[in-house]
Amino acid sequence: EAPLAWSHNRVEGSTEYTQLLYIPASAPHDLWNRERKAGIKLYVKRVFIMDEAESLMPAYLRWVKGVVDSSDLPLNVSRELLQESRDVKAIREGNTRRVLALLDELSKDGEKYGKFYAAFGAVLKEGLGEDFANRDKIAKLLRFASTTQSEPTALADYKARMKDGQKAIYYLTADTLAAARSSPQLEVFRQKGIEVLLMADRVDEWALSFLPEFDGTPLQSVAKGAVDLGDLQDEAEKKAAEQAAEAFKPVLDKLKESLKDKAKDVRVTSRLVDSPACLVVEDGDYSMQLARLLKQAGQQAPEVKPILEVNAGHALVKKLETSEHFDDLAHVLFDQALLAEGGLPEDPAAYVRRVNGLLV
C-alpha cells in the first residue's frame, strides 16, 4: 500500500545519519498493543543492525515506518547500548521533529489528513503526556468533533471562533460521540450558541490532563466544577440563579440527606435548560468516565462521589417540594442523571422498582 507521505533527509552536524521515514495510509491491527515490537530499521554505515529499533522513535509514533543509516554508531551496537547512547537520543529527537513537521505539512491537505487522523489520531494524543518538549506541536495537530461544526476542528480554529468575552476552550468527554452530543451538560452552552468540543476516544481524558491550556487559553471541561460563563452570562441571570438557590435551600438540604451515600453535594445549577438534573465532579477530581475506564482496565480506581446539580425550574424537581415519595424521587433523579452521563445505577433492580412505584 502506498504511504500517505514520506521524508528522506541526510542530517549532518554533531551526529550524522540518513533518515527515510514513511507515514502509512492505514493502521496495523495491533496498533494498540504497546508491548509489541515497534520501531524503524537501523543500519550503521549501510550494514543492517536491527529490524525494530524502538529507541529511535517515541512510543506515540510507533506507527511510523522507515530506515535510519548512522555514520557514528558502532557496528556491534546492542539494544541496551541504544538506550544509553547520546547519538541515539539525537537521532530520536531528529526523527520526532521530522515526523511532526511532515504531519504539519500533511494537515494542509484536508482529505489526506482526515484519512491519517482517522487511523492514528488517538495514538498521536498519547504524545501530550509522553513528549513534553513537543506538546504544543502535537496540540496543533489534534482534531476534535464539535457542537457547531460538521467536520473535526483544530484547537486553533476553535479559538478563532470564540465569542467575545469567552475565556476558555470548553470540551466534554464521553464514551461515545452520540452520548456527548445529547449530554444535559451542554444545554446552556447550546442555548447561548457557545461551541463545545466533543471527545470520545478512550485516551482523551488522560491526554487532556497534560494540556491545561492552548496558546494561552485554558481548556475547561463542562463536566467539572460549577458552570462559570464569566462575561457570557449577564447579571440578571446570575441574580436569578442565586435567588432560585436560596428559595430551594430546604429541598436541597433534604436531597443532601437522602443522597448522602451517593452524592458529594447537591446544588442548584444554571447549566440545565430542559433536563431536571445532571452529575458533575469537582475541578481536579477524576471524572466518572475516567474512573470507569480504569475499572474496565482492571486498575485501582479512586471512589468518585459526584455532585448532583438540579434544575430548580423543572417540573419534576419542583414536585419534590410536595411529593409523598421524596426519597424514591430523589434516587430516581440521581440514577437518571447517572444514566445520561453514561454510567449505570449501582442497583439497577432498585432503580426499576422505584420508577415502577412512581408510575403506579
Side-chain angles (χ1 to χ4, degrees):
E1 186 179 26
L4 273 179
W6 58 277
S7 176
H8 184 196
N9 303 281
R10 177 167 177 77
V11 181
E12 296 179 340
S14 57
T15 304
E16 292 190 7
Y17 60 96
T18 303
Q19 59 181 194
L20 178 57
L21 304 173
Y22 294 94
I23 295 176
S26 56
H29 67 89
D30 55 353
L31 178 67
W32 289 102
N33 179 9
R34 287 174 61 91
E35 302 303 317
R36 79 179 181 105
K37 293 285 186 184
I40 53 183
K41 296 179 186 294
L42 173 63
Y43 287 74
V44 174
K45 301 183 179 75
R46 300 201 175 191
V47 176
F48 175 69
I49 303 298
M50 66 180 68
D51 210 15
E52 293 157 332
E54 65 269 17
S55 302
L56 300 182
M57 197 68 75
Y60 72 95
L61 298 180
R62 57 187 176 272
W63 38 269
V64 176
K65 303 296 181 185
V67 174
V68 162
D69 182 21
S70 170
S71 303
D72 301 318
L73 294 173
L75 286 170
N76 63 344
V77 67
S78 65
R79 289 187 184 274
E80 289 72 27
L81 285 173
L82 279 179
Q83 292 173 351
E84 301 168 4
S85 167
R86 189 181 302 172
D87 290 329
V88 168
K89 187 181 178 187
I91 294 172
R92 176 189 171 103
E93 290 172 353
N95 286 341
T96 303
R97 284 195 302 270
R98 179 58 59 184
V99 172
L100 295 178
L102 193 57
L103 291 177
D104 187 47
E105 189 65 31
L106 188 65
S107 68
K108 295 169 186 173
D109 183 329
E111 186 180 341
K112 272 191 172 182
Y113 195 72
K115 187 176 181 183
F116 157 78
Y117 201 81
F120 303 109
V123 191
L124 186 63
K125 291 172 186 174
E126 294 175 11
L128 293 176
E130 294 179 359
D131 189 355
F132 186 80
N134 291 300
R135 189 179 62 183
D136 292 342
K137 291 179 183 176
I138 296 166
K140 288 177 182 175
L141 295 170
L142 301 182
R143 300 291 183 268
F144 301 101
S146 156
T147 53
T148 63
Q149 305 298 307
S150 57
E151 295 294 323
T153 187
L155 291 170
D157 294 337
Y158 176 102
K159 191 171 173 181
R161 293 190 297 269
M162 280 170 56
K163 286 181 169 289
D164 290 339
Q166 185 176 341
K167 293 184 170 65
I169 295 171
Y170 295 109
Y171 71 90
L172 175 67
T173 57
D175 293 329
T176 64
L177 281 180
R181 288 189 193 283
S182 58
S183 171
Q185 288 146 342
L186 295 178
E187 289 176 359
V188 71
F189 294 91
R190 196 174 282 121
Q191 184 189 55
K192 293 183 174 293
I194 301 169
E195 184 177 3
V196 178
L197 298 176
L198 307 174
M199 307 180 185
D201 284 331
R202 294 171 71 88
V203 72
D204 283 326
E205 187 83 32
W206 173 83
L208 266 290
S209 67
F210 296 96
L211 190 68
E213 63 171 33
F214 175 78
D215 196 18
T217 303
L219 273 73
Q220 173 66 46
S221 169
V222 301
K224 288 189 176 183
V227 63
D228 180 14
L229 298 179
D231 298 342
L232 299 174
Q233 194 171 26
D234 59 43
E235 289 303 318
E237 288 176 318
K238 290 178 184 177
K239 195 170 182 181
E242 288 170 7
Q243 289 173 345
E246 189 61 35
F248 206 66
K249 191 172 185 306
V251 181
L252 284 183
D253 291 339
K254 282 184 73 177
L255 275 172
K256 288 176 188 177
E257 179 60 28
S258 181
L259 298 171
K260 62 184 178 184
D261 295 331
K262 289 184 173 182
K264 188 175 185 179
D265 193 12
V266 183
R267 62 193 181 202
V268 171
T269 185
S270 58
R271 85 172 79 219
L272 297 172
V273 178
D274 301 315
S275 299
C278 70
L279 296 178
V280 297
V281 295
E282 293 282 20
D283 277 325
D285 281 0
Y286 275 77
S287 76
M288 297 181 72
Q289 189 213 14
L290 183 56
R292 282 198 300 273
L293 290 176
L294 289 172
K295 283 180 183 175
Q296 289 167 9
Q299 295 185 29
Q300 187 69 32
E303 185 187 353
V304 178
K305 261 195 176 182
I307 295 165
L308 178 69
E309 293 194 343
V310 294
N311 178 2
H314 195 279
L316 196 57
V317 177
K318 283 182 177 177
K319 195 163 185 174
L320 281 166
E321 295 177 293
T322 56
S323 176
E324 298 174 6
H325 310 283
F326 187 93
D327 274 357
D328 283 343
L329 190 51
H331 281 84
V332 165
L333 275 175
F334 181 92
D335 288 341
Q336 284 185 345
L338 185 59
L339 286 166
E341 189 270 339
L344 281 174
E346 280 184 16
D347 188 348
Y351 168 71
V352 172
R353 191 167 57 249
R354 286 189 179 108
V355 171
N356 288 346
L358 291 168
L359 286 172
V360 170

